[in-house]
């Protein structure tokens, strides 16, 4: 039930041309309704400025129609007067007007039509009257689509109308029940409006959470690509340096070819890792390859050894107790640490150690620092990326100068909890290396 106003013509349209345009739109809607009533009704419901489910709108319309018809049937003794028929038409006018004419609900006009229909019904009083329930439904509809500054006065006016007809003897019984019913109708409509408002808020929160998740995923992929590229370029440059020395000093072609072959292999492996990481951005299905884990740190060290870096690897405890997520984080932290040694501590020796106890796995990377290197730290993604990897799993990462030279230490629980420890670069004297950028 409802009423309305037909949408106005665009500004500047001559008044003489508005009537034919409106008639043409009405004719088009009527023709569409004649061809496919169901589709026309569905489209008219979707055009409403309120996104209530069509099933709710249809259910309310059917309930209002049933109440109006029942109230008209109660007045059969007054026939052949047309007042009950006119009241039914006013009560149920919104459906046909919106479907055929495209009118939109206006709360004040909706209330006026409902009160007019109620006055026509109550002009012919009957016992155990159903007519006041028309106002109950109208109060709920208005409260569902209008602000409280509109719905409250209209609801009070409806209640006063019932009181006025009771004073003149046209509402002989049940007045308190009718008044309470109108109040409850208004409350039901208000709850529907609040529900719709909260739905909008939840949709907004979901959009924010989706944007935050997308940003976090982009940062994660950026860390993965950074670590893969840093590692592959560092080892590849070591192989190329070895090949150049072999050709310049010893003229050893076989050694140079071996170094270049290893560089090519690592380059192809890096390209495969980058494709797999960037493939996370693609929604299409693709064949996944396993991510590296803590067991692969030994192969990682072997790549650096073959490239000419003096690095030793030690492990202690059961590596099988380390989860894939923790293993990947430790692998990337070790990978980034060794890449930093290659780039910023030329000629240094390194030692990487993995220790697993009953509650935690610890990765330690120590390296010497050749004399003469500047005490400078870069501002790239290396340390921040390693720190984020550890903290996301509830662990802690520290990096800074030590008695050996430079130490990176990451400790992650075997069963990570929510959150993590705050983590920063170790305090102390000036550093002897710098972060990869």
């Amino acid at each position: 039930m409802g009423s309305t106003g037909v949408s106005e013509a665009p500004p500047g349209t001559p008044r003489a041309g508005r009537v034919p345009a409106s008639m043409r739109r009405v004719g088009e809607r009527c023709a569409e309704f004649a061809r496919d009533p169901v589709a026309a009704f569905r489209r008219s419901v979707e055009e409403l400025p309120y996104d209530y489910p069509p099933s709710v709108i249809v259910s309310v319309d059917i309930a209002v129609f049933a109440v109006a018809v029942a109230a008209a049937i109660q007045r059969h003794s007054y026939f052949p007067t047309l007042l009950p028929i006119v009241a039914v038409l006013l009560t149920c006018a919104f459906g046909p007007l919106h479907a055929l004419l495209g009118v939109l609900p206006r709360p004040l006009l909706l209330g006026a039509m409902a009160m007019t229909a109620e006055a026509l019904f109550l002009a012919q009083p009957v016992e155990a009257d159903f007519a006041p329930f028309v106002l109950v439904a109208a109060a709920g509809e208005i409260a569902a689509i209008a602000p409280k500054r509109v719905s409250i006065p209209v609801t009070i006016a409806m209640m006063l109308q019932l009181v006025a007809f009771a004073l003149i003897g046209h509402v002989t019984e049940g007045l308190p029940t009718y008044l309470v019913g109108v109040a409850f109708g208004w409350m039901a409509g208000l709850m529907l409006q609040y529900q719709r408002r909260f739905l909008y808020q939840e949709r907004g929160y979901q959009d924010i959470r989706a944007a935050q998740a997308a940003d976090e995923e982009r940062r994660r992929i950026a860390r993965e690509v950074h670590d893969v590229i840093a590692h592959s370029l560092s080892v590849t440059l070591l192989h190329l340096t070895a090949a150049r020395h072999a050709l310049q000093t010893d003229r050893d072609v076989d050694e140079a070819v071996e170094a270049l072959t290893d560089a090519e292999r690592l380059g192809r492996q890096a390209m495969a890792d980058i494709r797999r990481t960037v493939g996370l951005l693609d929604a299409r299905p693709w064949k996944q390859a396993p991510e590296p884990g803590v067991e692969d740190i030994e192969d990682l060290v072997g790549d650096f050894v073959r490239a000419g870096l003096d690095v030793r690897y030690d492990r202690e405890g059961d590596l099988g107790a380390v989860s894939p997520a923790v293993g990947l984080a430790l692998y990337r932290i070790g990978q980034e640490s060794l890449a930093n040694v290659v780039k910023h501590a030329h000629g240094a020796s390194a030692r990487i150690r993995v220790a697993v106890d009953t509650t935690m796995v610890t990765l330690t990377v120590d390296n010497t620092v050749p004399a003469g290197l500047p005490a400078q730290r870069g501002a790239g993604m290396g340390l921040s990326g390693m720190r984020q990897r550890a903290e996301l799993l509830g662990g802690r990462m520290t990096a800074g100068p030590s008695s050996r030279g430079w130490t990176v230490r990451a400790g992650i629980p075997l069963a990570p909890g929510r959150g993590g420890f705050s983590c920063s670069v170790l305090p102390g004297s000036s550093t002897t290396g710098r972060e990869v950028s």
Side-chain angles (χ1 to χ4, degrees):
M1 180 183 72
S3 175
T4 68
V6 181
S7 57
E8 298 180 356
T13 303
R15 183 172 298 275
R18 296 182 181 180
V19 175
S22 300
M23 295 301 295
R24 185 167 54 253
R25 287 195 298 270
V26 171
E28 292 174 354
R29 283 184 170 270
C30 292
E32 180 183 358
F33 187 80
R35 287 193 304 269
D36 191 347
V38 176
F41 174 77
R42 183 180 295 110
R43 186 172 71 87
S44 65
V45 172
E46 293 174 353
E47 289 176 352
L48 289 172
Y50 316 105
D51 58 353
Y52 290 112
S55 59
V56 173
I57 298 175
V58 173
S59 299
V60 172
D61 287 342
I62 292 176
V64 172
F65 177 75
V67 169
V69 171
I73 293 175
Q74 285 182 310
R75 288 159 174 79
H76 61 87
S77 60
Y78 291 98
F79 290 148
T81 60
L82 297 180
L83 291 183
I85 305 300
V86 175
V88 172
L89 294 178
L90 286 174
T91 303
C92 306
F94 171 68
L97 287 176
H98 179 64
L100 299 178
L101 304 181
V103 294
L104 296 177
R106 298 290 186 268
L108 291 178
L109 192 53
L110 175 61
M113 293 182 67
M115 293 179 66
T116 302
E118 185 67 19
L120 295 178
F121 279 130
L122 295 181
Q124 300 174 337
V126 295
E127 294 182 358
D129 199 354
F130 284 111
F133 291 105
V134 171
L135 295 183
V136 174
E141 289 181 337
I142 295 172
I145 65 176
K148 287 188 287 187
R149 67 176 181 273
V150 174
S151 63
I152 291 178
V154 172
T155 302
I156 293 175
M158 292 178 178
M159 299 172 72
L160 292 176
Q161 182 186 30
L162 292 177
V163 172
F165 275 95
L167 292 177
I168 62 176
H170 284 224
V171 179
T172 57
E173 56 184 7
L175 178 63
T177 302
Y178 295 145
L179 296 178
V180 172
V182 173
F184 271 96
W186 174 83
M187 292 176 59
L190 187 63
M191 286 189 292
L192 285 176
Q193 184 178 141
Y194 282 150
Q195 184 182 34
R196 186 184 57 165
R197 185 182 305 170
F198 294 149
L199 177 62
Y200 290 153
Q201 292 179 354
E202 181 61 26
R203 288 175 179 173
Y205 295 150
Q206 287 180 352
D207 292 340
I208 294 174
R209 288 193 292 267
Q212 292 175 344
D215 290 340
E216 179 59 31
E217 184 65 12
R218 282 192 291 267
R219 287 192 292 268
R220 189 186 71 82
I221 292 175
R223 290 196 302 267
E224 293 289 331
V225 174
H226 172 271
D227 292 346
V228 170
I229 293 176
H231 163 247
S232 62
L233 287 180
S234 299
V235 180
T236 300
L237 287 174
L238 283 177
H239 283 298
L240 294 178
T241 301
R244 178 173 58 81
H245 281 302
L247 293 175
Q248 285 182 340
T249 58
D250 303 332
R251 303 295 180 181
D252 191 341
V253 177
D254 292 338
E255 184 178 348
V257 169
E258 181 180 354
L260 292 174
T261 300
D262 287 339
E264 179 184 7
R265 176 181 60 81
L266 289 171
R268 294 182 183 278
Q269 178 182 344
M271 287 300 298
D273 291 340
I274 293 173
R275 289 193 187 98
R276 182 178 68 248
T277 303
V278 176
L280 297 174
L281 300 174
D282 195 349
R284 295 173 298 178
W286 54 286
K287 185 177 180 180
Q288 294 185 351
E291 294 281 5
V294 68
E295 297 87 356
D296 298 307
I297 293 179
E298 185 174 0
D299 295 334
L300 173 68
V301 172
D303 290 337
F304 279 95
V305 170
R306 285 188 293 272
L309 179 65
D310 181 12
V311 55
R312 293 189 302 118
Y313 172 62
D314 297 322
R315 66 180 186 181
E316 178 182 341
D318 181 17
L319 298 184
V322 181
S323 67
V326 175
L328 174 62
L330 294 175
Y331 180 92
R332 295 303 188 197
I333 292 173
Q335 187 181 56
E336 175 68 17
S337 300
L338 293 179
N340 283 348
V341 173
V342 173
K343 291 187 177 182
H344 307 301
H346 304 289
S349 61
R351 176 174 177 267
I352 183 169
R353 180 174 182 270
V354 177
V356 183
D357 58 24
T358 57
T359 60
M360 179 173 290
V361 55
T362 304
L363 172 75
T364 305
V365 181
D366 297 309
N367 66 274
T368 60
V369 179
L373 288 182
Q376 178 183 359
R377 179 180 294 109
M381 296 177 58
L383 285 178
S384 62
M386 291 190 288
R387 184 178 303 117
Q388 289 174 4
R389 289 183 183 278
E391 291 178 347
L392 287 174
L393 295 170
R396 181 181 181 184
M397 193 282 296
T398 57
S402 64
S403 58
R404 179 176 173 83
W406 185 269
T407 298
V408 174
R409 181 176 294 105
I412 302 178
L414 294 178
R418 295 179 61 87
F421 302 94
S422 62
C423 176
S424 60
V425 177
L426 290 174
S429 60
S430 61
T431 61
T432 55
R434 59 180 180 175
E435 181 189 353
V436 62
S437 54

